[in-house]
Amino acid sequence: MNLNEKWRRLTQKQQQAVVVCAVCALVLVITISVTAVLVTKQIRASQNPQDPDSQTSDYDDNNYTIDSSAVLEKTEDAGAEYLKDTLFIGDSNTVRLYNNGMVTLQQYCAKEGLTIQDANTMEIVSFKKDAKQYTIVDAITKMKPRRVLITLGTNNADGSLSEEDFIASYRKLIESIQKAYSYTDIIINAIPAIPQSHAKYPDLDQKVIDNYNIALAKLCEETNCKFLNSAQVLKDENGYGKQTYYNKDDIHLTSSGLKAMLDYYTSHAYKTEDRRPDTKNIATRAEDFTANPTPESSAKPTEEPAAGFTASYHAQPSGSGTLTMNNESGKDSFKVDIKDAGDSVTVKAVPNEGNIFVKWSDGVTSMERTDKKFKQNLDVTAMFAPLSLSISADRQEGTVDDEIQFKAKLNSDKYAKVDDVVWFVDGEKIDGVAGGSYKFRFEEAGTLKIAAEVTYNGQTVRSNTVKITVEAKATATPSPAPTATPTPAPTASPAPETPDKQPEPEVPVEPGKNPDGEKIPETQPQDAE
């Protein structure tokens, strides 16, 4: 018996029941499937907050608009010769140009983790037959490039450096190059976009990058440089870096991303006359971080100084913190000669009041670091940022059982949140109380001292202290109780005297006789004198 025949044998009510059960089963399957998808996304969101599918953002790429006469427009491809005459200056993505064989050693001066502040002072460039290391500016005078392309700023995109300070440091680098070697053309490359998923570098912010780039285009106008807006080719439709151009959860460009950036560079060329007076005696680059530069065969080994590794440490921005090493403290920088690969160096970053230590330029987040087993030179910078906490009260006096409102304010929410503020009364932490606003009820009279704290990366930032005068509640003066008029004790009426005997009845007395019946003698009248 087939299914059709079985179906026909069912009554109408049985057929209806079968249909209802089938629909219910279908709804149940759909519900389970949708729930599973939602739960999976929720798990992904908790495990990886940078996952594009698990996060929302208020970032708007429409805010990234560059309207500047310094921007390089599209041209015919300038080709390999244009690349060959360019010196690439930058950080880790520029280092990757060399590591991927896209530029030669003679074409770049770069260092991983390089910030715009360090680019002005850090000695990162080595040359053959020269034990000394040079800053980027000094290296340019020795290399005499026809043009330079500078790509810096990614390591400042965590917002630890204000836009004003960032541009000031960039301006200093540009003007130093122009003063040291005025014959080179300077092109400022846009800071590369970062992908929406960048969990390995969670502090970086695409909005910060956009704001920096807009400011850089304006700076190029002011300093007579050109701006290469390569962000256009690296961004996706949402304004973040195209994921195919980046390593997973990373900010570093893959070879395809690097090639796209180079193609944009050669198709937006800055063609000028070669202004260099000569191209003679150009210094030949040596590998970065080479401890002992290899002398040419004609040089005598004894003429070359015996150079070991060096470990250099810096504090930035100036005035925000210092370094401590061994028994020396309060220093802006240290440079240590490493004579043996087994040597170790311990240095501590100490923030000045009103500042916090953020991280080292190579990503180390502990304030104190110990470096050892050197296989190359080390040059890192301790990065500080201002962070302060203040509190206020709606009034500074009250009585017992009063509630007084306190508020906490941070000068920046980049590194700490007011929700994490904890409160103290007379130096004792109030358990279970946290946040930027709280009402305290005072239970005893006296002068109380209120303060707050917030912590970032193991560093405690304490607020000002607010003194509150608490008085006892005023008590109304009692009215004197009325004096009760004493009720006089009742006076007992004297009991009537009880006669000892009953009075005898009176006996009538005859005239001239006394009561005893005797005759009263007559008395003779007395004559008056």
Side-chain angles (χ1 to χ4, degrees):
M1 183 181 298
N2 57 32
L3 291 176
N4 288 334
E5 188 174 348
K6 289 181 178 180
W7 178 259
R8 287 195 299 271
R9 289 192 175 188
L10 296 175
T11 65
Q12 185 176 2
K13 288 186 176 182
Q14 288 175 328
Q15 290 177 348
Q16 290 175 346
V18 170
V19 171
V20 170
C21 291
V23 171
C24 291
L26 180 60
V27 171
L28 180 61
V29 170
I30 293 174
T31 301
I32 293 174
S33 300
V34 172
T35 302
V37 171
L38 293 175
V39 170
T40 300
K41 284 194 172 185
Q42 185 64 31
I43 293 173
R44 289 172 60 193
S46 63
Q47 291 177 341
N48 182 12
Q50 295 292 346
D51 191 326
D53 292 334
S54 68
Q55 67 174 352
T56 59
S57 173
D58 59 355
Y59 172 69
D60 184 1
D61 186 46
N62 292 324
N63 294 327
Y64 181 63
T65 302
I66 294 181
D67 183 13
S68 170
S69 60
V71 174
L72 290 169
E73 301 295 338
K74 186 174 178 58
T75 63
E76 292 184 2
D77 194 291
E81 194 65 28
Y82 185 75
L83 286 177
K84 183 180 178 181
D85 288 338
T86 302
L87 178 64
F88 294 84
I89 295 170
D91 49 32
S92 53
N93 278 320
T94 303
V95 172
R96 279 163 171 73
L97 287 174
Y98 173 64
N99 291 341
N100 282 272
M102 297 180 181
V103 299
T104 66
L105 179 62
Q106 193 66 18
Q107 287 179 267
Y108 92 107
C109 296
K111 182 181 183 299
E112 292 186 352
L114 190 65
T115 64
I116 186 60
Q117 312 97 295
D118 293 338
N120 283 295
T121 59
M122 190 175 288
E123 298 171 349
I124 64 171
V125 187
S126 301
F127 295 99
K128 290 184 177 180
K129 295 184 62 178
D130 193 341
K132 183 180 177 182
Q133 286 194 308
Y134 294 86
T135 64
I136 289 173
V137 173
D138 290 338
I140 287 173
T141 62
K142 295 174 70 66
M143 300 176 73
K144 304 178 182 179
R146 180 169 176 177
R147 71 185 65 85
V148 295
L149 177 69
I150 306 175
T151 309
L152 286 168
T154 298
N155 295 299
N156 295 106
D158 60 355
S160 59
L161 194 65
S162 70
E163 184 179 311
E164 181 181 4
D165 289 341
F166 176 79
I167 293 301
S169 293
Y170 224 120
R171 183 189 299 274
K172 180 180 178 181
L173 178 64
I174 292 172
E175 292 177 349
S176 296
I177 294 173
Q178 290 173 331
K179 182 178 180 180
Y181 193 70
S182 60
Y183 311 107
T184 189
D185 295 331
I186 302 176
I187 303 171
I188 306 301
N189 188 22
I191 304 168
I194 56 175
Q196 191 169 4
S197 176
H198 53 278
K200 293 181 179 178
Y201 296 85
D203 291 339
L204 301 191
D205 191 329
Q206 183 60 48
K207 287 187 289 186
V208 173
I209 292 175
D210 284 355
N211 291 337
Y212 279 175
N213 282 335
I214 293 171
L216 283 175
K218 182 179 179 181
L219 176 64
C220 287
E221 290 184 17
E222 297 171 356
T223 55
N224 197 30
C225 299
K226 291 298 180 180
F227 184 76
L228 182 71
N229 191 19
S230 61
Q232 288 184 322
V233 74
L234 297 178
K235 284 189 170 187
D236 61 16
E237 63 278 5
N238 296 318
Y240 290 93
K242 294 179 182 178
Q243 192 58 59
T244 54
Y245 285 166
Y246 297 83
N247 294 310
K248 181 176 173 58
D249 295 331
D250 200 357
I251 60 169
H252 295 110
L253 291 165
T254 60
S255 58
S256 61
L258 293 169
K259 187 177 186 305
M261 187 173 68
L262 283 183
D263 288 345
Y264 188 91
Y265 173 56
T266 57
S267 63
H268 293 73
Y270 182 34
K271 300 298 290 289
T272 61
E273 294 293 329
D274 190 348
R275 297 181 288 114
R276 295 175 293 174
D278 72 86
T279 55
K280 299 177 181 178
N281 302 315
I282 292 178
T284 303
R285 285 275 278 111
E287 282 286 351
D288 288 334
F289 312 127
T290 300
N292 296 292
T294 303
E296 294 184 359
S297 57
S298 60
K300 297 180 180 179
T302 55
E303 296 176 349
E304 294 295 329
F309 298 123
T310 59
S312 300
Y313 303 88
H314 314 273
Q316 288 287 348
S318 178
S320 59
T322 59
L323 303 177
T324 296
M325 181 185 294
N326 298 329
N327 295 323
E328 293 186 82
S329 60
K331 299 291 185 179
D332 291 329
S333 63
F334 285 105
K335 187 171 184 179
V336 182
D337 292 328
I338 308 299
K339 298 180 179 180
D340 189 283
D343 289 350
S344 65
V345 179
T346 298
V347 62
K348 184 176 182 180
V350 182
N352 290 343
E353 186 174 356
N355 293 269
I356 55 168
F357 166 75
V358 178
K359 64 179 179 179
W360 295 90
S361 56
D362 60 352
V364 175
T365 57
S366 59
M367 297 174 68
E368 184 172 276
R369 61 184 291 157
T370 298
D371 299 304
K372 54 188 176 180
K373 297 182 179 179
F374 288 85
K375 295 182 180 180
Q376 62 183 32
N377 290 340
L378 177 68
D379 203 323
V380 292
T381 298
M383 301 166 64
F384 301 93
L387 182 64
S388 60
L389 172 66
S390 61
I391 64 171
S392 59
D394 59 356
R395 54 198 172 96
Q396 291 184 254
E397 58 184 18
T399 61
V400 172
D401 289 337
D402 268 354
E403 283 190 338
I404 296 183
Q405 179 81 37
F406 290 86
K407 290 186 177 181
K409 183 179 180 181
L410 289 165
N411 68 318
S412 169
D413 61 357
K414 178 68 177 178
Y415 302 103
K417 307 294 182 184
V418 292
D419 290 343
D420 299 325
V421 170
V422 295
W423 296 86
F424 293 79
V425 174
D426 286 343
E428 294 187 8
K429 180 181 176 183
I430 304 177
D431 293 333
V433 175
S437 177
Y438 196 78
K439 287 183 179 180
F440 286 94
R441 182 182 294 277
F442 296 96
E443 299 178 352
E444 59 182 19
T447 299
L448 305 178
K449 297 178 180 179
I450 312 300
E453 289 182 356
V454 70
T455 302
Y456 171 78
N457 192 20
Q459 303 162 83
T460 299
V461 177
R462 191 169 182 85
S463 74
N464 55 305
T465 298
V466 175
K467 292 183 179 180
I468 303 295
T469 301
V470 182
E471 297 179 349
K473 279 190 172 182
T475 304
T477 304
S479 300
T483 305
T485 303
T487 303
T491 305
S493 300
E497 295 181 2
T498 303
D500 295 334
K501 56 181 179 178
Q502 294 295 326
E504 296 179 359
E506 292 183 358
V507 179
V509 179
E510 294 181 13
K513 292 183 179 180
N514 62 18
D516 292 331
E518 296 175 349
K519 185 178 179 180
I520 300 174
E522 295 181 3
T523 303
Q524 296 297 324
Q526 299 288 330
D527 291 334
E529 294 180 0

